[in-house]
Amino acid sequence: MDTFDVIIIGSGAGGAPIARQLALAGKSVLVLDKGPLLRTQAEHPLGVSDFKRDELFATGAEKRLTLTGIANQNEAFYSSHVEPDLNDEPHIYEGADGLDRATIEGYTAQLVGGGTQLYGAVSLRFSDLDFRLASFNSNRGDLVNDPNNDVKRYARDWPISYADLEPYYSEAERLIGINGTRANQGKAFSIDNYQTPYPPNPISAYVEVGMDALGMPRYRTPLAVITQDHAPSGRVMPPGSEPAKTAYVNRYGDPLGLKSNTWVALLRPLMALPNFTLRANCVVTHLEASGDKISKLVYRDAAGRAIEVAGTLVVVACSAIESVRLLKLSAERDPAFGARIDGNNLLGRYFLTHCFGGAEAIMPGRFDKSVSLDSDWATDACASADFIQANGVWAGGAIYNNTSDQALPISLARTHGSQDLDTIWKSFIDDTGLTGDALNSFFDDNFGTRLSVSFIANQVPLPTNRIELHPTIRDKWGRRVAHIRKIWHSHDIHLMNVFAEQCRRVLAFGGDGGVGNYQVNEFGAIYSAENARARIANHILGGARFGTDPADSVLDPNCRAWNFDNLFVTDGSFMPTAGGANPTLTIQANALRVADHLLTRL
Amino acid sequence: MAVEILTVDDTYQFGLVAKYLARDDRSPRHDYGQLTGDPRAAILEAWRFPWVDAWFDPDDTAQRFNAVTFVHAADNGQPGASVQIIGSFGELHTPISLVPLADTHYSTLTLKIPKGEVHVYRMRIDGVWQIDPINPQRVALDNGAIWSRMFTWGATQRLSLERWEARLLERLASHILPFQTTDGKTFFSRVHNAQGPANRPPHAYRLDETIGAVNFIDKLLAREEAHHLIDYRICLELIDQLLRARNPVTEPARLPREMIIELYTQMGSGNVPGWNYGRYGNPRYFLQLLRRHTLTGAFSHPRYGGNAMALGWKYLEERYRDATGATLFDWARAIEPPLGRSPAYRG
């Protein structure tokens, strides 16, 4: 059995930063990832990348659900080339009607780099308040639609503060390679490590006008895409003007390696180290323990063979749903393991995603949205204590515009009227009148004219929002799959309405030069979607929250499982609250923080 | 001429096999009607095999070749199988051996095969000639023998549809796309005249109709969405019968636009007078399918067999311009040469 100083399960935002720090410190590190290592064209034996600028890579051919016992059996689904197949490894969620359905929502991506390969790369910090929402709300009586005081009951302060994490945010921004601007952000920065952003897409001028008219301080959305040579990862800009600016960003892997996924930014530079080992295509089936030590991991390799490995320390970072599932599967095999990991019955509970939604409108004029990154402008205006209190909400959030969405003809059609992965193509397919002249008019009206503004905000944590093992449905290895059971709290709905209105106002004021009367008909949030309970935005958080009280949390402040000496969990599942921004940068910063702790253990 | 064997590494090949082939469960999870009773139904996306990928040759500005990787996975899960292949891409009397992938039960072989081609091949596995146990595509040769089939990017040879089906489908698809409109006809007339005879697209693409969308559908039904071939088989026959009944004089593929649009309106409503509901209960469903496929074919990357010469993209490029005449859909900027003009991206 091979042994290592540390074994890290998952090579995305929660795992790769730890691998980097420990490998560079000379520790023997093994990273296991369920998916393949897909490479940029610079490092590929065929001279081309495994990723393509090809709309059918982001959303492929139709497949159909064959699982038994689900309400959407035989329905169509469409996934990217690196998302898991729903018949092989589904996520099952419980719908409002009590029936189970398989969903593509809630997967990040299964490949080396994880979700950072496909995401839109928005890399915001959380606000200072996001770390102390229990304290902030402890004396408030003005929260709307929280009749049972659930916020006071279930919100928890993080065991670390913004100030504790700030140096790691700065370091993550340096190591990952992020462009953006610091001025006007509502967060304290010790150092500005951003690269210079590209000029914004001209359509984003409407957002500038709208935010300015509303007095919302704006800044260039930090995006994990390099615009200049990046020394920490050794990346050099290829020829061409603004080569990263294409519509093939969000939901695409980058063939040029300019999107700062954790493979190109953190792991690829380690490959020459003799003490660093990456094993792709290896799915960990379970952990085994001896007392308070994880004694070994068992994984299936690319040929399906069961392999055992052992590590002095073990880090689980395979995205919140799958991490909780792996720990529950391990507990299912060994009651003693179960007693240690879930003795307080909290594993899987307080599962979180984000309140999200926004506004969208057809703006005056037409723009080439295919020459853009995913977002241009962001504001923290709705993250301030004043805003939060004035609107009777418990927490704030970020607002930013999306630039690259619907920038290509097929993506415009397949996301027409449906913006989540379960209902992609559905509205276009149902709109059978869109043929010939009507299709021309559809393109005339919508191609290069649509602008959206989105919000990401905190969801109220609830113990009943949880990840379990499904009683009957199993994956291709015979393991029980994840069962997602969650609802939206009544206060979430109020909060989403407040934020959607802010997004609407940005476009309403932006569209008519600051008067505020521009017609914006599409605004709202995910709670009203047909599959609202499944909607996750691929922000998969909570389920193994950290804290200072072993009776009230799954992990200690260093993300160590309370009753194991050598087991750490560092993907988004550690979060007790979801933060008012996209979570990836915070997962990366926290992983760097945990890495410092792990170095004291080796 | 001997086909060239390309050198790739284990990392690449493991990426092609693990997700799709490695599993304990052998139940037919991936049968949507296209693989009923076939053990391939246990394989995820069996249609991906053999893998057809780009291959970059710095000395070939036309980039005329694909890298095609054949894979065998031994049933017993043990290494040591002897696997050879012969095919129309090489010398039929000279088998080429697949090479064991590390210490696994997989064997692989990557060949350099020209784009735009259709080939048949067989494998000799531990001394027994047979079709590829993974790839579902197969074809009966004139002598009745069954061979496996594969095709490279941009192939235009008809594989799924009969000639009359393709002709009718051209007519149907042409009225889904925006090119049979006044604006569309103007665009195509200009493209056609501007390019001169030497640069016109191959005959398979009828410019003023579907820019290869029917070819795209033909290939889609041969691979990724083979489960929908039955929908086309039945519905094209029903539509042919129905249109002949409505107009006994004119071939369905030559009927006036108004009749096709009327048919679409009826199909969209689900109420089609004369439709044989006993054979296919939901004409609206077929229209939905046809629209998704046609639009995808017209605007996806030309490697899939539609969007011939990127004309779908060029239509939008020309249609949407700013006051200075600059395009508002500069698709070529991001796309590889020779189709596009990205100085960095190779496709």
Coordinates of all heavy atoms in Angstrom, one line a residue, chain A residues 125-190:
Chain A
R125 N -14.5 38.3 -3.0 CA -14.3 38.0 -1.6 C -15.7 38.1 -0.9 O -16.6 38.8 -1.4 CB -13.4 39.0 -0.9 CG -11.9 39.0 -1.4 CD -11.1 40.0 -0.7 NE -9.7 40.0 -1.1 CZ -8.7 40.5 -0.4 NH1 -8.9 41.2 0.7 NH2 -7.5 40.5 -0.9
F126 N -15.8 37.4 0.2 CA -17.0 37.6 1.1 C -16.8 38.9 1.8 O -15.6 39.4 2.0 CB -17.2 36.5 2.1 CG -17.7 35.2 1.5 CD1 -17.9 34.1 2.3 CD2 -18.0 35.1 0.1 CE1 -18.3 32.9 1.7 CE2 -18.4 33.9 -0.4 CZ -18.6 32.8 0.4
S127 N -17.9 39.5 2.4 CA -17.7 40.7 3.2 C -17.4 40.4 4.6 O -17.6 39.3 5.1 CB -19.0 41.5 3.1 OG -20.0 40.9 3.9
D128 N -17.0 41.4 5.3 CA -16.7 41.2 6.8 C -17.9 40.7 7.5 O -17.9 39.8 8.3 CB -16.3 42.6 7.3 CG -16.2 42.6 8.8 OD1 -15.3 41.9 9.3 OD2 -17.0 43.2 9.5
L129 N -19.1 41.2 7.1 CA -20.4 40.8 7.8 C -20.7 39.3 7.5 O -21.3 38.7 8.4 CB -21.5 41.7 7.3 CG -21.8 43.0 8.0 CD1 -23.0 43.7 7.4 CD2 -22.1 42.7 9.5
D130 N -20.3 38.8 6.4 CA -20.6 37.5 6.0 C -20.1 36.5 7.1 O -20.6 35.3 7.2 CB -20.1 37.1 4.6 CG -20.9 37.7 3.5 OD1 -22.1 38.0 3.7 OD2 -20.3 38.0 2.5
F131 N -19.0 36.9 7.8 CA -18.4 36.0 8.7 C -19.0 36.0 10.1 O -18.7 35.3 11.0 CB -16.9 36.3 8.9 CG -16.1 36.1 7.6 CD1 -16.1 37.0 6.5 CD2 -15.3 35.0 7.5 CE1 -15.4 36.7 5.4 CE2 -14.5 34.7 6.4 CZ -14.6 35.6 5.3
R132 N -20.0 37.0 10.3 CA -20.5 37.1 11.7 C -22.0 37.5 11.6 O -22.5 38.4 12.2 CB -19.7 38.2 12.4 CG -19.5 39.5 11.7 CD -18.6 40.4 12.4 NE -18.4 41.7 11.7 CZ -19.2 42.8 11.9 NH1 -20.2 42.7 12.7 NH2 -19.0 43.9 11.2
L133 N -22.7 36.7 10.9 CA -24.1 37.0 10.7 C -25.0 36.6 11.9 O -26.0 37.2 12.1 CB -24.7 36.3 9.4 CG -24.2 36.9 8.1 CD1 -24.6 36.0 6.9 CD2 -24.8 38.3 7.9
A134 N -24.5 35.7 12.7 CA -25.3 35.4 14.0 C -25.2 36.6 14.9 O -26.2 37.1 15.4 CB -24.7 34.2 14.6
S135 N -24.0 37.1 15.1 CA -23.8 38.3 16.0 C -24.6 39.5 15.4 O -25.3 40.2 16.2 CB -22.4 38.7 16.1 OG -21.6 37.6 16.5
F136 N -24.5 39.7 14.1 CA -25.1 40.9 13.5 C -26.6 40.9 13.7 O -27.2 41.9 13.8 CB -24.7 40.9 12.0 CG -25.3 42.0 11.2 CD1 -24.8 43.3 11.4 CD2 -26.4 41.8 10.4 CE1 -25.4 44.4 10.7 CE2 -27.0 42.8 9.7 CZ -26.5 44.1 9.8
N137 N -27.2 39.7 13.6 CA -28.6 39.6 13.7 C -29.2 39.3 15.1 O -30.4 39.2 15.3 CB -29.1 38.5 12.7 CG -29.0 38.9 11.3 OD1 -29.8 39.8 10.8 ND2 -28.1 38.3 10.6
S138 N -28.3 39.3 16.1 CA -28.8 38.8 17.4 C -29.8 39.7 18.1 O -30.6 39.2 18.8 CB -27.5 38.6 18.3 OG -26.9 39.8 18.5
N139 N -29.7 40.9 17.8 CA -30.6 41.9 18.5 C -31.7 42.5 17.6 O -32.3 43.5 17.9 CB -29.9 43.0 19.2 CG -29.0 42.4 20.3 OD1 -29.5 41.6 21.1 ND2 -27.8 42.8 20.4
R140 N -31.8 41.9 16.4 CA -32.7 42.6 15.4 C -34.1 42.0 15.6 O -34.3 40.8 15.8 CB -32.2 42.3 14.0 CG -30.9 43.1 13.7 CD -30.5 42.8 12.3 NE -31.4 43.3 11.3 CZ -31.3 43.1 10.0 NH1 -30.3 42.3 9.6 NH2 -32.2 43.6 9.2
G141 N -35.1 42.9 15.4 CA -36.5 42.4 15.4 C -37.2 42.8 14.1 O -38.4 42.8 14.0
D142 N -36.4 43.2 13.1 CA -37.0 43.7 11.9 C -36.9 42.8 10.7 O -37.1 43.2 9.5 CB -36.3 45.1 11.5 CG -34.8 44.9 11.3 OD1 -34.2 43.9 11.8 OD2 -34.2 45.7 10.6
L143 N -36.5 41.5 10.9 CA -36.4 40.7 9.7 C -37.8 40.3 9.2 O -38.7 39.9 9.9 CB -35.7 39.4 10.1 CG -34.2 39.6 10.6 CD1 -33.6 38.2 10.9 CD2 -33.4 40.3 9.5
V144 N -37.9 40.5 7.9 CA -39.2 40.2 7.2 C -39.4 38.7 7.0 O -38.4 38.0 6.6 CB -39.3 41.0 5.9 CG1 -40.6 40.7 5.1 CG2 -39.1 42.5 6.2
N145 N -40.5 38.2 7.2 CA -40.9 36.8 6.9 C -40.0 35.8 7.6 O -39.6 34.8 7.0 CB -40.9 36.6 5.4 CG -42.0 37.3 4.7 OD1 -42.9 37.8 5.3 ND2 -41.9 37.4 3.4
D146 N -39.7 36.1 8.8 CA -39.0 35.1 9.6 C -39.8 34.9 10.9 O -39.3 35.2 12.0 CB -37.6 35.5 9.9 CG -36.8 34.5 10.7 OD1 -37.1 33.3 10.6 OD2 -35.8 34.9 11.3
P147 N -41.0 34.3 10.8 CA -41.9 34.3 11.9 C -41.4 33.4 13.1 O -41.8 33.7 14.3 CB -43.2 33.7 11.4 CG -42.8 33.0 10.1 CD -41.6 33.7 9.6
N148 N -40.6 32.5 12.8 CA -40.1 31.6 13.9 C -38.7 31.9 14.4 O -38.1 31.1 15.1 CB -40.2 30.1 13.4 CG -41.6 29.7 13.1 OD1 -42.5 30.0 13.8 ND2 -41.7 29.0 11.9
N149 N -38.2 33.1 13.9 CA -36.9 33.5 14.3 C -35.8 32.4 13.9 O -34.9 32.2 14.7 CB -36.8 33.8 15.8 CG -37.6 35.0 16.2 OD1 -37.5 36.0 15.5 ND2 -38.4 34.9 17.3
D150 N -36.0 31.9 12.8 CA -35.0 30.9 12.3 C -33.6 31.5 12.1 O -32.6 30.7 12.3 CB -35.5 30.2 11.0 CG -36.7 29.3 11.2 OD1 -36.8 28.8 12.4 OD2 -37.5 29.2 10.3
V151 N -33.5 32.7 11.7 CA -32.2 33.3 11.5 C -31.5 33.3 12.8 O -30.3 32.8 12.9 CB -32.3 34.7 11.0 CG1 -31.0 35.5 11.1 CG2 -32.8 34.7 9.5
K152 N -32.1 33.7 13.9 CA -31.4 33.7 15.2 C -31.1 32.3 15.7 O -30.1 32.1 16.3 CB -32.3 34.4 16.2 CG -32.3 35.9 16.1 CD -33.1 36.6 17.2 CE -33.3 38.1 16.9 NZ -34.3 38.7 17.7
R153 N -32.0 31.4 15.3 CA -31.8 30.1 15.8 C -30.7 29.3 15.1 O -29.9 28.6 15.6 CB -33.1 29.3 15.7 CG -33.1 28.0 16.5 CD -34.4 27.2 16.3 NE -35.6 27.9 16.2 CZ -36.8 27.4 15.9 NH1 -36.9 26.1 15.7 NH2 -37.9 28.1 15.7
Y154 N -30.6 29.6 13.8 CA -29.7 28.7 13.0 C -28.5 29.4 12.4 O -27.6 28.7 12.0 CB -30.5 28.1 11.8 CG -31.6 27.2 12.3 CD1 -32.9 27.4 11.8 CD2 -31.4 26.2 13.2 CE1 -34.0 26.6 12.3 CE2 -32.4 25.4 13.6 CZ -33.7 25.6 13.2 OH -34.7 24.8 13.6
A155 N -28.5 30.7 12.4 CA -27.3 31.4 11.8 C -26.1 31.2 12.8 O -26.3 31.1 14.0 CB -27.5 32.9 11.6
R156 N -24.9 31.0 12.3 CA -23.7 30.9 13.1 C -22.6 31.8 12.6 O -22.5 31.9 11.4 CB -23.2 29.4 13.1 CG -24.1 28.4 13.6 CD -24.2 28.5 15.2 NE -25.1 27.4 15.7 CZ -26.4 27.5 15.8 NH1 -27.1 28.5 15.3 NH2 -27.1 26.5 16.3
D157 N -21.9 32.4 13.5 CA -20.7 33.1 13.1 C -19.7 32.1 12.7 O -19.6 30.9 13.2 CB -20.1 33.9 14.3 CG -21.0 35.1 14.6 OD1 -21.9 35.5 13.8 OD2 -20.7 35.7 15.7
W158 N -18.8 32.5 11.8 CA -17.7 31.6 11.4 C -16.7 31.7 12.6 O -16.6 32.7 13.3 CB -17.0 32.1 10.2 CG -17.8 31.9 8.9 CD1 -19.2 31.9 8.7 CD2 -17.3 31.6 7.6 NE1 -19.5 31.7 7.4 CE2 -18.3 31.5 6.7 CE3 -16.0 31.5 7.1 CZ2 -18.2 31.3 5.3 CZ3 -15.8 31.2 5.7 CH2 -16.9 31.1 4.9
P159 N -16.0 30.6 12.8 CA -15.0 30.6 13.9 C -13.7 31.4 13.5 O -12.8 31.6 14.3 CB -14.6 29.2 14.1 CG -14.9 28.5 12.8 CD -16.1 29.3 12.2
I160 N -13.7 32.0 12.3 CA -12.6 32.9 11.9 C -13.3 34.2 11.4 O -14.5 34.1 11.0 CB -11.8 32.3 10.8 CG1 -12.6 31.9 9.5 CG2 -11.0 31.0 11.3 CD1 -11.8 31.4 8.3
S161 N -12.5 35.2 11.4 CA -13.1 36.5 10.9 C -12.5 36.8 9.5 O -11.6 36.2 9.0 CB -12.6 37.6 11.9 OG -11.2 37.8 11.8
Y162 N -13.1 37.9 9.0 CA -12.6 38.4 7.7 C -11.1 38.7 7.8 O -10.3 38.4 6.9 CB -13.3 39.6 7.2 CG -12.8 40.2 5.9 CD1 -13.2 39.7 4.7 CD2 -11.8 41.2 5.9 CE1 -12.7 40.2 3.5 CE2 -11.3 41.7 4.7 CZ -11.7 41.2 3.5 OH -11.2 41.7 2.3
A163 N -10.7 39.3 8.9 CA -9.3 39.7 9.1 C -8.4 38.5 9.2 O -7.3 38.5 8.7 CB -9.2 40.5 10.4
D164 N -8.9 37.4 9.7 CA -8.1 36.2 9.8 C -7.9 35.6 8.3 O -6.8 35.1 8.0 CB -8.9 35.1 10.5 CG -9.0 35.4 12.0 OD1 -8.1 36.1 12.6 OD2 -10.0 34.9 12.6
L165 N -8.9 35.8 7.5 CA -8.8 35.2 6.2 C -8.2 36.2 5.2 O -7.7 35.7 4.1 CB -10.2 34.8 5.7 CG -10.2 33.7 4.6 CD1 -9.5 32.4 5.0 CD2 -11.7 33.4 4.2
E166 N -8.1 37.4 5.5 CA -7.7 38.4 4.5 C -6.3 38.1 3.9 O -6.1 38.2 2.7 CB -7.7 39.8 5.2 CG -7.7 40.9 4.1 CD -6.4 41.2 3.4 OE1 -5.3 40.9 4.0 OE2 -6.4 41.7 2.3
P167 N -5.3 37.7 4.7 CA -4.0 37.4 4.1 C -4.1 36.3 3.1 O -3.4 36.3 2.1 CB -3.1 37.1 5.2 CG -3.8 37.6 6.5 CD -5.2 37.6 6.2
Y168 N -5.0 35.4 3.3 CA -5.1 34.2 2.4 C -5.9 34.6 1.2 O -5.7 34.1 0.1 CB -5.8 33.1 3.2 CG -4.9 32.6 4.3 CD1 -5.2 32.9 5.6 CD2 -3.8 31.8 4.1 CE1 -4.4 32.5 6.7 CE2 -3.0 31.4 5.1 CZ -3.3 31.7 6.4 OH -2.5 31.3 7.5
Y169 N -6.9 35.5 1.3 CA -7.5 36.1 0.1 C -6.4 36.7 -0.8 O -6.4 36.5 -2.0 CB -8.5 37.2 0.5 CG -9.9 36.7 0.8 CD1 -10.6 37.2 1.9 CD2 -10.6 35.8 -0.1 CE1 -11.9 36.8 2.2 CE2 -11.9 35.4 0.2 CZ -12.6 35.9 1.3 OH -13.9 35.5 1.6
S170 N -5.6 37.5 -0.2 CA -4.6 38.2 -1.0 C -3.6 37.2 -1.7 O -3.3 37.3 -2.9 CB -3.7 39.1 -0.1 OG -4.5 40.2 0.4
E171 N -3.3 36.2 -0.9 CA -2.3 35.2 -1.5 C -3.1 34.3 -2.6 O -2.5 34.0 -3.6 CB -1.8 34.2 -0.4 CG -0.8 33.2 -0.8 CD 0.5 33.8 -1.3 OE1 0.6 35.0 -1.4 OE2 1.4 33.0 -1.6
A172 N -4.3 34.0 -2.3 CA -5.1 33.3 -3.4 C -5.1 34.1 -4.6 O -5.0 33.6 -5.8 CB -6.5 32.9 -2.9
E173 N -5.4 35.4 -4.5 CA -5.5 36.3 -5.7 C -4.2 36.3 -6.4 O -4.2 36.3 -7.7 CB -6.0 37.7 -5.3 CG -7.5 37.7 -4.9 CD -7.9 38.8 -4.0 OE1 -7.0 39.5 -3.5 OE2 -9.1 39.0 -3.8
R174 N -3.1 36.3 -5.7 CA -1.8 36.3 -6.4 C -1.5 34.9 -7.1 O -1.1 34.9 -8.2 CB -0.7 36.6 -5.3 CG 0.7 36.7 -5.9 CD 1.7 36.9 -4.8 NE 2.1 35.7 -4.1 CZ 3.0 34.8 -4.5 NH1 3.6 35.0 -5.6 NH2 3.2 33.7 -3.8
L175 N -1.7 33.9 -6.3 CA -1.4 32.6 -6.9 C -2.3 32.1 -8.0 O -1.8 31.5 -9.0 CB -1.4 31.5 -5.8 CG -0.4 31.6 -4.7 CD1 -0.7 30.6 -3.6 CD2 1.0 31.5 -5.2
I176 N -3.6 32.4 -7.9 CA -4.5 31.9 -8.9 C -4.4 32.7 -10.2 O -4.4 32.1 -11.3 CB -6.0 32.1 -8.3 CG1 -6.2 31.2 -7.1 CG2 -7.0 31.7 -9.4 CD1 -6.2 29.7 -7.3
G177 N -4.3 34.0 -10.1 CA -4.2 34.8 -11.3 C -5.6 35.4 -11.6 O -6.4 34.7 -12.3
I178 N -5.9 36.6 -11.1 CA -7.2 37.2 -11.2 C -7.1 38.6 -11.7 O -6.2 39.3 -11.2 CB -7.9 37.1 -9.8 CG1 -8.1 35.7 -9.3 CG2 -9.2 37.9 -9.8 CD1 -8.6 35.5 -7.9
N179 N -7.9 39.0 -12.6 CA -8.0 40.4 -13.0 C -9.2 41.0 -12.4 O -10.2 40.4 -12.2 CB -8.0 40.5 -14.5 CG -9.3 40.2 -15.2 OD1 -10.2 41.1 -15.2 ND2 -9.5 39.0 -15.7
G180 N -9.1 42.3 -12.1 CA -10.1 43.1 -11.5 C -9.6 44.4 -11.0 O -8.5 44.8 -11.2
T181 N -10.5 45.1 -10.3 CA -10.0 46.3 -9.6 C -10.5 46.3 -8.2 O -11.5 45.8 -7.8 CB -10.6 47.6 -10.3 OG1 -12.0 47.5 -10.4 CG2 -10.0 47.7 -11.7
R182 N -9.7 47.0 -7.3 CA -9.9 47.0 -5.9 C -10.7 48.2 -5.5 O -11.5 48.1 -4.5 CB -8.5 47.0 -5.2 CG -8.5 47.3 -3.8 CD -7.1 47.4 -3.3 NE -7.0 48.0 -1.9 CZ -5.9 48.2 -1.3 NH1 -4.7 47.9 -1.9 NH2 -5.8 48.7 -0.1
A183 N -10.5 49.3 -6.1 CA -11.2 50.5 -5.7 C -12.7 50.3 -5.7 O -13.3 49.7 -6.6 CB -10.9 51.7 -6.6
N184 N -13.4 50.8 -4.7 CA -14.9 50.7 -4.6 C -15.4 49.4 -4.0 O -16.6 49.2 -3.9 CB -15.6 51.0 -5.9 CG -15.6 52.5 -6.2 OD1 -15.4 53.3 -5.3 ND2 -15.8 52.9 -7.4
Q185 N -14.5 48.4 -3.8 CA -14.9 47.2 -3.1 C -15.2 47.5 -1.7 O -14.5 48.3 -1.0 CB -13.9 46.1 -3.3 CG -13.7 45.6 -4.7 CD -13.2 44.1 -4.7 OE1 -13.6 43.3 -3.9 NE2 -12.4 43.8 -5.7
G186 N -16.2 46.9 -1.1 CA -16.6 47.1 0.3 C -15.8 46.3 1.2 O -16.4 45.9 2.3
K187 N -14.7 45.8 0.9 CA -13.8 45.0 1.7 C -12.4 45.5 1.8 O -11.9 46.1 0.9 CB -13.8 43.5 1.1 CG -15.1 42.9 0.9 CD -15.3 42.5 -0.6 CE -16.7 42.0 -0.8 NZ -17.0 41.7 -2.2
A188 N -11.8 45.3 3.0 CA -10.5 45.8 3.2 C -9.5 44.9 2.5 O -9.6 43.7 2.6 CB -10.2 45.9 4.7
F189 N -8.5 45.5 1.9 CA -7.5 44.8 1.2 C -6.1 45.2 1.8 O -5.8 46.4 1.9 CB -7.4 45.2 -0.3 CG -8.4 44.4 -1.2 CD1 -9.8 44.5 -1.0 CD2 -7.9 43.6 -2.2 CE1 -10.7 43.8 -1.8 CE2 -8.8 42.9 -3.1 CZ -10.2 43.0 -2.8
S190 N -5.3 44.2 2.1 CA -3.9 44.5 2.5 C -3.0 44.8 1.3 O -2.0 45.5 1.4 CB -3.3 43.4 3.4 OG -3.3 42.2 2.6

